[in-house]
Amino acid sequence: MNLNFRRLAALAAVGGTIFFGGNAAADAADMSKEGIWAFREAYVSQAPNTRIFEQDLTLFSTNFHLDIDSRAQVLKDGSLRMGGQFNWTYTNLKNNFTTNNKIPFYIEQLGNEMTLYVQRKGKWSKMLLPGLPSGIAILWKSTEPEIINDVLDAVKKIEILNDTPDLRTMNVTLEGKKLANILDKNSSATFENLSGDALAEQKEIFNRWLAAFKENNITFTWTVNKPSWTTATAAFDLTSIMRAYSIYVLNEAAAGRVILTDEERDLLDAMGYYAELKAYTTQIAPRKDTAVNPPAVNLSNVPENDDSLNDIFSEMTTVVER
């Protein structure tokens, strides 16, 4: 079975960029009433109007470094736009030669469909992103009571780090198994436009991400602006989930349940043992000059091309041997 792991980095990076929380294993602990109330008050009070965020993500390993600088805009109806740039640096460890690429990108989600657009050599192409990125976006931007209650139910631990009249900073731990169930339930509709091998491939990737989430509790540091009940900052680390996913598939291959190409195995080695994935979010005031606009191109005519980032994925497989 060829699982086409060329999308792995894109899924991890885009999912991490739009993810409100992050990953770090945490010891189980009883929550105080004060802690859970502080989180509930901040979470439920989040304003449902237009929200704009600066999103920074870093994916790095021994010989590559991806910085994503972007801005995301969530409208009152739940639609999402994100625009920015992939800053890619690669060093060939054999000759110590370094290359740099700056790749403009744009993401749009309307309803259950999320599309990633990238510009290479002056031309735009697109890639559909069902499953994990779409599911995280739906969870993150939803104001539906059912999803809000599901997230509240997944809260495992709250640690209040600082609480003033203006700001509240908390370490929030979500139970990985419950979060995986939420993502599963809210991602099913994102596969509606796929069928056949494409559907089977994306479902396979998504189910393995769910397995990785189930093995890791999710802890993020969240600072809330109390007068407006908006997110000031959120910091997170998705390294453990990314590594759990990659090692899980490598173990599947070792057991003979999955067949990997050499390139796929090298990519999974890089993601499972060398790479780290971290991100930081800052909310900014919605103004005319902070709005996210699509690129100056007719997006309806942009061709679909799942191979538009192949050169980057190939460079990611060139890693130091363990």
Side-chain angles (χ1 to χ4, degrees):
M1 178 185 296
N2 183 350
L3 297 180
N4 189 9
F5 285 104
R6 292 185 181 278
R7 289 197 184 197
L8 176 60
L11 291 171
V14 173
T17 302
I18 63 178
F19 192 30
F20 177 73
N23 179 290
D27 295 332
D30 293 333
M31 290 182 295
S32 66
K33 290 183 179 180
E34 178 186 9
I36 187 60
W37 177 259
F39 175 78
R40 180 183 291 271
E41 181 183 34
Y43 181 58
V44 176
S45 300
Q46 290 288 294
N49 296 319
T50 298
R51 291 168 286 165
I52 298 179
F53 299 89
E54 298 284 0
Q55 307 281 105
D56 298 314
L57 179 139
T58 300
L59 172 67
F60 61 93
S61 186
T62 52
N63 66 324
F64 62 77
H65 191 168
L66 172 66
D67 283 320
I68 299 180
D69 299 320
S70 64
R71 179 173 293 174
Q73 180 178 4
V74 182
L75 301 182
K76 190 173 183 178
D77 65 355
S79 56
L80 175 131
R81 283 179 168 181
M82 180 183 293
Q85 185 170 267
F86 296 137
N87 301 300
W88 173 255
T89 301
Y90 165 71
T91 300
N92 187 313
L93 297 173
K94 293 181 179 180
N95 58 24
N96 202 34
F97 180 74
T98 298
T99 59
N100 297 279
N101 283 288
K102 298 183 182 299
I103 305 171
F105 78 92
Y106 173 72
I107 294 172
E108 192 170 80
Q109 181 171 25
L110 296 171
N112 294 316
E113 185 171 281
M114 176 179 285
T115 306
L116 166 66
Y117 299 86
V118 296
Q119 186 187 51
R120 306 301 306 275
K121 298 180 180 179
K123 296 182 179 180
W124 287 87
S125 61
K126 67 182 179 181
M127 179 189 303
L128 297 179
L129 295 176
L132 184 70
S134 300
I136 290 175
I138 291 171
L139 181 154
W140 175 63
K141 60 192 177 67
S142 176
T143 57
E144 296 180 11
E146 181 180 359
I147 295 180
I148 290 175
N149 288 331
D150 283 345
V151 173
L152 291 171
D153 183 59
V155 175
K156 185 174 183 180
K157 180 181 177 181
I158 303 291
E159 180 184 4
I160 302 176
L161 303 179
N162 189 37
D163 204 351
T164 70
D166 295 321
L167 297 173
R168 176 177 296 161
T169 301
M170 299 168 282
N171 277 341
V172 182
T173 301
L174 304 178
E175 185 176 334
K177 290 182 180 179
K178 290 186 177 180
L179 184 58
N181 291 336
I182 297 171
L183 290 171
D184 190 18
K185 180 171 66 174
N186 291 288
S187 299
S188 58
T190 69
F191 295 100
E192 289 180 350
N193 294 328
L194 298 177
S195 61
D197 291 342
L199 175 61
E201 174 188 297
Q202 291 302 317
K203 277 282 192 178
E204 193 78 17
I205 293 174
F206 179 62
N207 288 335
R208 283 176 165 79
W209 278 116
L210 291 182
F213 272 89
K214 289 177 181 178
E215 295 175 1
N216 294 273
N217 292 330
I218 313 301
T219 297
F220 59 95
T221 302
W222 184 27
T223 298
V224 181
N225 184 311
K226 291 172 67 175
S228 62
W229 291 120
T230 57
T231 294
T233 62
F236 56 95
D237 185 341
L238 285 171
T239 300
S240 296
I241 286 183
M242 179 180 66
R243 290 185 176 183
Y245 175 97
S246 303
I247 294 171
Y248 180 86
V249 179
L250 288 170
N251 290 337
E252 289 278 280
R257 290 187 289 269
V258 173
I259 298 174
L260 301 176
T261 66
D262 290 341
E263 183 183 19
E264 289 169 346
R265 190 181 303 277
D266 288 343
L267 176 54
L268 287 166
D269 272 335
M271 304 292 280
Y273 294 100
Y274 308 112
E276 296 186 17
L277 180 63
K278 301 181 180 182
Y280 191 80
T281 298
T282 303
Q283 187 164 349
I284 60 177
R287 303 187 307 269
K288 186 175 182 179
D289 62 336
T290 61
V292 178
N293 297 309
V297 63
N298 188 344
L299 294 179
S300 61
N301 292 334
V302 170
E304 186 169 351
N305 180 11
D306 290 344
D307 298 327
S308 57
L309 299 174
N310 274 6
D311 55 330
I312 288 178
F313 296 153
S314 295
E315 290 175 344
M316 290 177 65
T317 66
T318 312
V319 297
V320 178
E321 293 184 1
R322 285 187 289 128

